[in-house]
PDB file of all heavy atoms in Angstrom:
ATOM      1  N   GLY V 317    -102.793-237.555  -8.359  1.00 82.00           N
ATOM      2  CA  GLY V 317    -102.687-239.064  -8.374  1.00 82.00           C
ATOM      3  C   GLY V 317    -103.631-239.611  -7.327  1.00 82.00           C
ATOM      4  O   GLY V 317    -104.336-240.592  -7.452  1.00 82.00           O
ATOM      5  N   SER V 318    -103.552-238.840  -6.054  1.00 83.00           N
ATOM      6  CA  SER V 318    -104.455-239.270  -5.011  1.00 83.00           C
ATOM      7  C   SER V 318    -105.916-239.217  -5.291  1.00 83.00           C
ATOM      8  O   SER V 318    -106.744-239.990  -4.986  1.00 83.00           O
ATOM      9  CB  SER V 318    -104.107-238.613  -3.799  1.00 83.00           C
ATOM     10  OG  SER V 318    -102.722-238.733  -3.355  1.00 83.00           O
ATOM     11  N   LEU V 319    -106.196-238.078  -5.894  1.00 78.00           N
ATOM     12  CA  LEU V 319    -107.707-237.936  -6.240  1.00 78.00           C
ATOM     13  C   LEU V 319    -108.200-238.993  -7.214  1.00 78.00           C
ATOM     14  O   LEU V 319    -109.248-239.436  -7.123  1.00 78.00           O
ATOM     15  CB  LEU V 319    -107.912-236.510  -6.887  1.00 78.00           C
ATOM     16  CG  LEU V 319    -107.750-235.302  -5.836  1.00 78.00           C
ATOM     17  CD1 LEU V 319    -107.947-234.069  -6.552  1.00 78.00           C
ATOM     18  CD2 LEU V 319    -108.850-235.454  -4.741  1.00 78.00           C
ATOM     19  N   ARG V 320    -107.346-239.300  -8.178  1.00 76.00           N
ATOM     20  CA  ARG V 320    -107.755-240.307  -9.268  1.00 76.00           C
ATOM     21  C   ARG V 320    -107.828-241.647  -8.565  1.00 76.00           C
ATOM     22  O   ARG V 320    -108.576-242.444  -8.959  1.00 76.00           O
ATOM     23  CB  ARG V 320    -106.686-240.346 -10.401  1.00 76.00           C
ATOM     24  CG  ARG V 320    -106.728-238.998 -11.154  1.00 76.00           C
ATOM     25  CD  ARG V 320    -105.879-239.086 -12.447  1.00 76.00           C
ATOM     26  NE  ARG V 320    -105.846-237.718 -12.938  1.00 76.00           N
ATOM     27  CZ  ARG V 320    -106.839-237.204 -13.798  1.00 76.00           C
ATOM     28  NH1 ARG V 320    -107.812-237.946 -14.025  1.00 76.00           N
ATOM     29  NH2 ARG V 320    -106.634-236.050 -14.308  1.00 76.00           N
ATOM     30  N   TYR V 321    -106.963-241.894  -7.591  1.00 70.00           N
ATOM     31  CA  TYR V 321    -106.924-243.183  -7.009  1.00 70.00           C
ATOM     32  C   TYR V 321    -108.188-243.411  -6.061  1.00 70.00           C
ATOM     33  O   TYR V 321    -108.938-244.481  -6.077  1.00 70.00           O
ATOM     34  CB  TYR V 321    -105.716-243.362  -6.020  1.00 70.00           C
ATOM     35  CG  TYR V 321    -105.687-244.660  -5.181  1.00 70.00           C
ATOM     36  CD1 TYR V 321    -105.404-245.810  -5.672  1.00 70.00           C
ATOM     37  CD2 TYR V 321    -106.044-244.567  -3.848  1.00 70.00           C
ATOM     38  CE1 TYR V 321    -105.385-246.929  -4.844  1.00 70.00           C
ATOM     39  CE2 TYR V 321    -106.182-245.663  -2.972  1.00 70.00           C
ATOM     40  CZ  TYR V 321    -105.744-246.857  -3.456  1.00 70.00           C
ATOM     41  OH  TYR V 321    -105.836-247.929  -2.785  1.00 70.00           O
ATOM     42  N   PHE V 322    -108.507-242.412  -5.325  1.00 74.00           N
ATOM     43  CA  PHE V 322    -109.875-242.512  -4.578  1.00 74.00           C
ATOM     44  C   PHE V 322    -111.051-242.499  -5.450  1.00 74.00           C
ATOM     45  O   PHE V 322    -112.023-243.065  -5.066  1.00 74.00           O
ATOM     46  CB  PHE V 322    -109.798-241.218  -3.594  1.00 74.00           C
ATOM     47  CG  PHE V 322    -108.869-241.482  -2.465  1.00 74.00           C
ATOM     48  CD1 PHE V 322    -107.847-240.522  -2.319  1.00 74.00           C
ATOM     49  CD2 PHE V 322    -108.976-242.521  -1.558  1.00 74.00           C
ATOM     50  CE1 PHE V 322    -106.943-240.659  -1.167  1.00 74.00           C
ATOM     51  CE2 PHE V 322    -108.046-242.624  -0.442  1.00 74.00           C
ATOM     52  CZ  PHE V 322    -107.056-241.750  -0.286  1.00 74.00           C
ATOM     53  N   LYS V 323    -111.003-241.906  -6.561  1.00 70.00           N
ATOM     54  CA  LYS V 323    -112.138-241.785  -7.517  1.00 70.00           C
ATOM     55  C   LYS V 323    -112.346-243.156  -8.066  1.00 70.00           C
ATOM     56  O   LYS V 323    -113.480-243.637  -8.151  1.00 70.00           O
ATOM     57  CB  LYS V 323    -111.904-240.830  -8.597  1.00 70.00           C
ATOM     58  CG  LYS V 323    -113.093-240.647  -9.456  1.00 70.00           C
ATOM     59  CD  LYS V 323    -112.879-239.520 -10.486  1.00 70.00           C
ATOM     60  CE  LYS V 323    -114.059-239.306 -11.454  1.00 70.00           C
ATOM     61  NZ  LYS V 323    -113.856-238.332 -12.493  1.00 70.00           N
ATOM     62  N   LYS V 324    -111.296-243.796  -8.362  1.00 69.00           N
ATOM     63  CA  LYS V 324    -111.359-245.214  -8.824  1.00 69.00           C
ATOM     64  C   LYS V 324    -111.872-246.204  -7.788  1.00 69.00           C
ATOM     65  O   LYS V 324    -112.462-247.260  -8.089  1.00 69.00           O
ATOM     66  CB  LYS V 324    -109.968-245.638  -9.451  1.00 69.00           C
ATOM     67  CG  LYS V 324    -109.611-245.007 -10.842  1.00 69.00           C
ATOM     68  CD  LYS V 324    -108.240-245.562 -11.289  1.00 69.00           C
ATOM     69  CE  LYS V 324    -107.898-244.896 -12.595  1.00 69.00           C
ATOM     70  NZ  LYS V 324    -106.534-245.390 -13.049  1.00 69.00           N
ATOM     71  N   SER V 325    -111.441-245.905  -6.528  1.00 62.00           N
ATOM     72  CA  SER V 325    -111.841-246.743  -5.444  1.00 62.00           C
ATOM     73  C   SER V 325    -113.233-246.587  -4.857  1.00 62.00           C
ATOM     74  O   SER V 325    -113.763-247.395  -4.225  1.00 62.00           O
ATOM     75  CB  SER V 325    -110.816-246.514  -4.235  1.00 62.00           C
ATOM     76  OG  SER V 325    -109.447-246.819  -4.691  1.00 62.00           O
ATOM     77  N   ASP V 326    -113.834-245.472  -5.353  1.00 60.00           N
ATOM     78  CA  ASP V 326    -115.201-245.195  -4.811  1.00 60.00           C
ATOM     79  C   ASP V 326    -116.215-246.082  -5.629  1.00 60.00           C
ATOM     80  O   ASP V 326    -116.322-246.121  -6.830  1.00 60.00           O
ATOM     81  CB  ASP V 326    -115.471-243.616  -5.170  1.00 60.00           C
ATOM     82  CG  ASP V 326    -116.857-243.253  -4.600  1.00 60.00           C
ATOM     83  OD1 ASP V 326    -117.535-244.078  -4.105  1.00 60.00           O
ATOM     84  OD2 ASP V 326    -117.100-241.989  -4.659  1.00 60.00           O
ATOM     85  N   PRO V 327    -116.914-246.956  -4.839  1.00 53.00           N
ATOM     86  CA  PRO V 327    -117.904-247.895  -5.495  1.00 53.00           C
ATOM     87  C   PRO V 327    -119.018-247.113  -6.169  1.00 53.00           C
ATOM     88  O   PRO V 327    -119.642-247.728  -7.057  1.00 53.00           O
ATOM     89  CB  PRO V 327    -118.376-248.628  -4.258  1.00 53.00           C
ATOM     90  CG  PRO V 327    -118.174-247.803  -2.965  1.00 53.00           C
ATOM     91  CD  PRO V 327    -117.004-247.007  -3.366  1.00 53.00           C
ATOM     92  N   MET V 328    -119.297-245.872  -5.824  1.00 51.00           N
ATOM     93  CA  MET V 328    -120.255-245.179  -6.494  1.00 51.00           C
ATOM     94  C   MET V 328    -119.815-244.647  -7.925  1.00 51.00           C
ATOM     95  O   MET V 328    -120.580-244.279  -8.767  1.00 51.00           O
ATOM     96  CB  MET V 328    -120.665-244.001  -5.656  1.00 51.00           C
ATOM     97  CG  MET V 328    -121.176-244.309  -4.245  1.00 51.00           C
ATOM     98  SD  MET V 328    -122.829-245.193  -4.434  1.00 51.00           S
ATOM     99  CE  MET V 328    -123.872-243.867  -4.924  1.00 51.00           C
TER     100      MET V 328
END
Side-chain angles (χ1 to χ4, degrees):
S318 298
L319 290 175
R320 294 185 188 282
Y321 173 79
F322 287 116
K323 187 176 181 180
K324 289 181 180 179
S325 302
D326 188 350
M328 297 299 291

